[in-house]
Amino acid sequence: MNKNNLARSALLISMMWLLHPVAQAQEAAMPAVEIRQPLVMPATAAARPSYLARIQRRYEQGNQPIGELQNGLFCSRKSDIYWTAKGGEALLPTGVMLARFRSELQKHGYPLPGPKEAPLFQEKPDDATPSQAEQSLQVGVIVAQVLTNLCLKGNASWTGEAYLRLEWQVFAPDQRKVIFKTVSEGVFQSRQASLEGAAPPIVAEAFSVGVRNLLADPAFALALQTPYDRAAAAANASILPPSQPAAPGAGAGGAANKPVPGPAVSIDNLPAAQPGGEMSKVIGQLRQGVVTVLTEGRSGTGFYIGQSGWLLSNQHVVGTARSVRVRLPGGRELPAEVLRVDAARDVALLKTEPPGVRPLPLRLDEPGLGEDVYALGSPLGDTFNTTLTRGILSGVRLLNGQEFLQSDVAILPGSSGGPLLDRSGQVVGITVAGLGARGMAGMNFFIPLASAVERLNLQLQQRPPKR
């Protein structure tokens, strides 16, 4: 018996668990699925390596046929296909799913864990340095539903169609928690051209489409690289007012577990100097109130919201520090105390001595879709402080249970914590994450200002009028 015949015999034996010969088999109807374009992860994004670590198959539909298998030269002999624990591996092999998931990530720029190699030198391990396993995110998938109609022609030549519903989870070992969940679908059809394979490649192709639809979801890309997810893991270590210990079980995610914000903080803010003015007329003054936040080994952006020295920035910019330095555009540096953070919302309240600059005016309502917005920040460090970029508000998104403003306004590492402004120079949001260009244009995200004010429990003495 030649190699092809052996492969076909082994396949048919394994697929006997999938087949129930009947006089009139039942063909499955394929649901309509949108085929989306995967987002390319920018090379500059601080994305963590990820890999498919867990695969489960759900068999609740096992008592009902999932489609029809035909064979013979004219696909005339028909049997029902059943999705069972004993035959699932034959229909969609684990090794095929692992390889195809890795291939799609690699093809679209997502970092993968490197190969394990013996070290050239055996050094004393640094307890503060996480291992590769701790740095890599583990992806799990549940194959929740399968529908397929197949025709086996000859030894290992297939035509047909398949549909998969896939439930995804991303697990962060360093956080010991699932940081992201979603569902994607995949569908594939090849009625004319035959595909070769010992296992039905039609189903594997549908799996690949499901993976590409996962990569088309900006929330998945954000889960791998955004600072606010990693910051949420540090909620237990959040800096709280000394008189306000964390509530029992306080942690990341969910209103019930967010850190206790403490009593309201009164902020001596000022309204816009020229209400309804144009950005070109107020930008000089606005720049004076935007600072570079300097911490150990990194920098970000912050901005003054009060005359007495009150500043806003991101929690991931200040980290777990209780004090940082801020540098004003003219070069003057001031020490800043980190007084309050909300790690799940990724916002931080800082205070310096009164800086002698006008605080930025605040607008608590959200700008409308298509409205011009501007970002001020210190991308790539203090050398480019108070860089101004312009875009439009592209949407309001709910990601990982949090609301974000989405805009195509350009931002780069170091812009985090800076203000997002409307066309008259009022702050409407705080820069938090960006996916850059290379297939992700417009995928930059900002914390709505009103959300930051609420989560930090700030009381503005002179609230800007809502429009």
Side-chain angles (χ1 to χ4, degrees):
M1 186 178 288
N2 63 34
K3 186 177 179 179
N4 285 339
N5 287 334
L6 281 172
R8 183 173 184 270
S9 297
L11 174 65
L12 291 177
I13 290 171
S14 63
M15 290 192 68
M16 285 176 62
W17 299 107
L18 299 169
L19 308 178
H20 287 200
V22 291
Q24 184 64 43
Q26 181 177 339
E27 187 175 85
M30 299 293 110
V33 174
E34 179 185 3
I35 309 299
R36 303 170 63 192
Q37 181 66 33
L39 300 173
V40 176
M41 181 66 72
T44 56
R48 299 173 66 178
S50 58
Y51 65 101
L52 188 57
R54 301 289 170 86
I55 295 173
Q56 291 183 9
R57 300 174 179 86
R58 191 172 290 161
Y59 297 109
E60 285 86 344
Q61 61 193 95
N63 60 345
Q64 296 292 328
I66 63 168
E68 177 182 85
L69 177 69
Q70 305 169 355
N71 57 49
L73 182 60
F74 300 103
C75 296
S76 56
R77 296 189 295 273
K78 300 180 180 181
S79 301
D80 279 330
I81 302 176
Y82 285 77
W83 180 241
T84 67
K86 293 184 177 179
E89 181 69 21
L91 198 62
L92 186 59
T94 298
V96 170
M97 286 191 280
L98 293 172
R100 292 201 175 223
F101 184 83
R102 183 180 179 88
S103 174
E104 292 296 340
L105 260 64
Q106 189 172 32
K107 189 186 306 180
H108 294 97
Y110 289 75
L112 300 168
K116 294 182 179 179
E117 298 178 353
L120 186 60
F121 299 101
Q122 195 68 35
E123 300 178 357
K124 182 180 178 181
D126 183 355
D127 293 337
T129 302
S131 66
Q132 185 186 65
E134 291 174 324
Q135 292 175 323
S136 298
L137 297 172
Q138 300 176 10
V139 180
V141 63
I142 299 173
V143 183
Q145 186 181 9
V146 181
L147 297 172
T148 186
N149 300 310
L150 301 170
C151 177
L152 175 59
K153 300 178 179 181
N155 291 323
S157 183
W158 301 85
T159 58
E161 57 188 353
Y163 162 85
L164 296 177
R165 184 177 189 273
L166 306 169
E167 298 177 0
W168 301 94
Q169 296 183 10
V170 178
F171 178 80
D174 55 335
Q175 301 178 25
R176 299 182 182 275
K177 62 175 286 188
V178 173
I179 62 171
F180 177 74
K181 294 181 179 181
T182 193
V183 174
S184 73
E185 298 175 293
V187 68
F188 183 81
Q189 184 181 76
S190 182
R191 288 291 195 180
Q192 303 300 324
S194 297
L195 302 181
E196 301 295 321
I202 307 295
V203 185
E205 290 291 342
F207 178 79
S208 293
V209 174
V211 174
R212 291 195 289 272
N213 278 346
L214 170 70
L215 301 187
D217 183 353
F220 175 73
L222 285 170
L224 301 192
Q225 72 115 26
T226 55
Y228 59 81
D229 270 328
R230 295 198 294 276
N236 283 328
S238 294
I239 305 164
L240 302 175
S243 61
Q244 297 290 329
N257 293 324
K258 68 183 180 182
V260 177
V265 176
S266 181
I267 304 296
D268 49 354
N269 186 251
L270 293 175
Q274 299 180 32
E278 297 179 5
M279 176 61 67
S280 60
K281 297 179 180 178
V282 297
I283 183 57
Q285 185 180 77
L286 295 173
R287 278 184 163 145
Q288 299 307 308
V290 178
V291 302
T292 303
V293 179
L294 304 169
T295 61
E296 193 65 35
R298 62 180 184 269
S299 68
T301 306
F303 57 98
Y304 280 103
I305 61 169
Q307 301 175 90
S308 300
W310 299 103
L311 287 150
L312 285 182
S313 187
N314 289 140
Q315 188 274 340
H316 79 262
V317 169
V318 301
T320 57
R322 293 186 178 274
S323 62
V324 297
R325 292 177 299 129
V326 301
R327 184 176 294 156
L328 278 71
R332 180 165 59 118
E333 286 192 10
L334 297 173
E337 185 179 0
V338 181
L339 293 181
R340 185 168 293 180
V341 300
D342 187 304
R345 182 71 275 196
D346 198 5
V347 288
L349 178 68
L350 291 68
K351 193 173 191 301
T352 69
E353 65 181 56
V357 300
R358 185 180 179 89
L360 273 64
L362 309 179
R363 171 181 167 187
L364 297 180
D365 62 320
E366 295 177 354
L369 293 182
E371 188 172 325
D372 286 345
V373 289
Y374 301 79
L376 264 177
S378 302
L380 307 176
D382 188 59
T383 302
F384 301 100
N385 65 53
T386 64
T387 294
L388 181 71
T389 54
R390 176 183 178 182
I392 63 168
L393 187 74
S394 308
V396 179
R397 310 297 182 192
L398 189 66
L399 304 173
N400 294 341
Q402 303 273 18
E403 186 178 275
F404 293 88
L405 305 178
Q406 177 192 339
S407 173
D408 62 350
V409 63
I411 61 173
L412 287 169
S415 300
S416 294
L420 182 71
L421 309 163
D422 66 10
R423 59 180 175 269
S424 63
Q426 299 180 104
V427 180
V428 294
I430 303 172
T431 302
V432 67
L435 300 185
R438 286 185 55 194
M440 294 188 178
M443 295 298 174
N444 298 320
F445 294 89
F446 306 81
I447 301 164
L449 179 69
S451 176
V453 168
E454 177 187 5
R455 294 292 285 268
L456 292 172
N457 199 9
L458 308 182
Q459 187 175 56
L460 305 181
Q461 288 186 0
Q462 191 163 2
R463 293 179 180 270
K466 291 188 177 183
R467 295 202 254 176

